[in-house]
Amino acid sequence: MHLVFQLLLLLGLAIPIVSANTEKDVDGIVEWVRSKGGFFSEKLVIRPMIEGSSALGVYAVEKIEKNEVLMKIPKGCYLRLKKPKKIDTSSDATEEDVMTTWHANYCKLAKKLKSSIDLGDGSDFAPYTSYLKKQQRGQTPATWSEDGKILLRKLLPDGHDAVDWIDTYHKEKGCFPKDDAEMELLVSMVIQRGYDSTLVPIWDMVNHDNGRINTATNSLHDNMFKVWATKPITEGSEIYHTYDLCTDCGDTASYWGTPEILRDFGFVEDYPQRWVFWKANVYFEIRWDAPRKRLELSWDMGNEDEEGYGVPSESGIEFMKSYLEKLSTVEIEKETKLLPTQEGYTAGKFYHSAKVALEIAVQAALAHGDEL
């Protein structure tokens, strides 16, 4: 059992119930995709991750062989922007330029989703948008309670946008009025469930776990999105993919890690975890070594084609120490008990994950310096 999970049990935090899904909604989406020429294997079922919870996952109900096709989603089922605004990736583009354009596309997608929801049964995407309409607030930090947001700001590195990105890139940029709670939720949802500026039904119910990936895909830009098994999958096992190492993810892993998974998707990933603080030039991964029953750290040392971040310098070590000092001021058990269950669970897991990761990284970096 992982250290983080043990600590969560001590905190008395429960697994969250986060949405109002129904079996009818899910069956309707599957039948709709099949009616459009898509495929969803009879060996799969979409069901609650934990009995009594409405958080869903995709599971095998029969043994699945390596390379067996699991699903095919035709492009006609995508709810997407056909002509998203092109992001400037030139050396002249600033971070602000890139982020503003990226979020402008998501603003447009959220408005398109709202239009489809408003059409009700008249929408071409009605089975899918009916399901999305029932999603609740609180699934990502940007829609947490005010108390939850206050606590998470204390747990994040200074300047991180996990809590306030909707304010910064959508409300302040005029995407929607500041008091429009529906659009706030929809913008959060298209980031949480989207791939670039595209929403893909059924595929958005496959959960992330970089330690247990058992699927691969072609590109979303192909006419038919195809998912297959990369290894034999036993009956009862969950189907997993990756949200940051995918076919269309590009270089996401070079600047995106566990805090960003929390920001965009609303959960703290299990091991392996990646911690990227690129402004401090710090990048490392933490993995659970099952045979040795311990956590292992690896630095980004690059390869023959690309230079890595390397072992943190003195300034990088000081950044991590400062972040640990910030975390030490938080009475996590006391503060999480005051929050809604899901928010308390997630904030507690992030706190312990960050604290453990930073302690290991500081110790390893100092040990490396002593060896030189």
Side-chain angles (χ1 to χ4, degrees), residues 230-294:
T230 56
K231 60 182 72 173
I233 301 173
T234 59
E235 179 182 347
S237 296
E238 185 170 359
I239 306 303
Y240 290 107
H241 194 48
T242 172
Y243 292 175
D244 55 357
L245 301 173
C246 61
T247 301
D248 295 310
C249 285
D251 65 345
T252 300
S254 68
Y255 57 86
W256 211 73
T258 297
E260 292 70 43
I261 289 277
L262 171 59
R263 176 192 64 197
D264 292 352
F265 302 109
F267 64 88
V268 181
E269 63 185 335
D270 291 331
Y271 297 114
Q273 295 176 347
R274 185 186 314 111
W275 297 84
V276 185
F277 309 107
W278 59 271
K279 290 182 179 179
N281 204 35
V282 173
Y283 180 121
F284 60 92
E285 293 189 1
I286 301 288
R287 294 179 175 273
W288 178 251
D289 186 333
R292 297 182 180 182
K293 296 183 180 181
R294 69 183 189 186

Side-chain angles (χ1 to χ4, degrees), residues 30-218:
V30 170
E31 291 309 310
W32 170 65
V33 167
R34 286 171 173 165
S35 74
K36 297 294 184 180
F39 169 78
F40 184 71
S41 174
E42 297 288 350
K43 295 183 179 181
L44 298 177
V45 65
I46 302 168
R47 63 170 175 79
M49 296 169 63
I50 298 173
E51 187 176 355
S53 169
S54 54
L56 300 180
V58 181
Y59 294 84
V61 293
E62 295 181 33
K63 182 181 178 181
I64 294 170
E65 302 297 336
K66 181 179 179 180
N67 296 324
E68 189 170 343
V69 175
L70 304 179
M71 63 185 79
K72 295 180 182 178
I73 314 296
K75 189 173 283 188
C77 291
Y78 296 0
L79 204 162
R80 64 190 177 105
L81 297 182
K82 292 184 178 179
K83 294 183 178 180
K85 188 174 181 181
K86 188 174 181 181
I87 295 175
D88 185 357
T89 57
S90 70
S91 58
D92 295 331
T94 65
E95 180 188 0
E96 178 68 17
D97 293 334
V98 171
M99 296 303 292
T100 297
T101 303
W102 192 68
H103 281 287
N105 285 332
Y106 276 105
C107 173
K108 292 180 181 178
L109 182 59
K111 289 179 176 178
K112 185 169 184 176
L113 173 58
K114 183 181 186 307
S115 296
S116 185
I117 288 174
D118 289 345
L119 287 172
D121 291 340
S123 168
D124 292 338
F125 304 93
Y128 184 44
T129 54
S130 174
Y131 158 79
L132 295 180
K133 182 180 179 179
K134 297 177 181 179
Q135 302 305 299
Q136 298 176 1
R137 294 180 62 83
Q139 295 190 40
T140 66
T143 63
W144 279 13
S145 66
E146 284 306 313
D147 286 342
K149 290 179 179 180
I150 289 170
L151 174 57
L152 190 55
R153 290 189 190 101
K154 296 178 184 179
L155 305 182
L156 290 161
D158 293 341
H160 200 284
D161 65 352
V163 173
D164 301 304
W165 63 268
I166 290 183
D167 290 346
T168 302
Y169 293 108
H170 293 269
K171 294 181 181 180
E172 293 176 11
K173 299 288 185 182
C175 173
F176 60 88
K178 293 184 178 181
D179 60 351
D180 191 335
E182 180 187 16
M183 274 300 296
E184 183 178 67
L185 176 57
L186 293 180
V187 166
S188 172
M189 194 185 304
V190 297
I191 294 282
Q192 179 192 21
R193 310 186 76 92
Y195 299 85
D196 290 330
S197 48
T198 303
L199 291 168
V200 184
I202 301 179
W203 181 235
D204 62 357
M205 299 178 194
V206 177
N207 289 314
H208 163 96
D209 191 320
N210 280 343
R212 292 187 283 182
I213 301 169
N214 51 16
T215 62
T217 76
N218 61 339

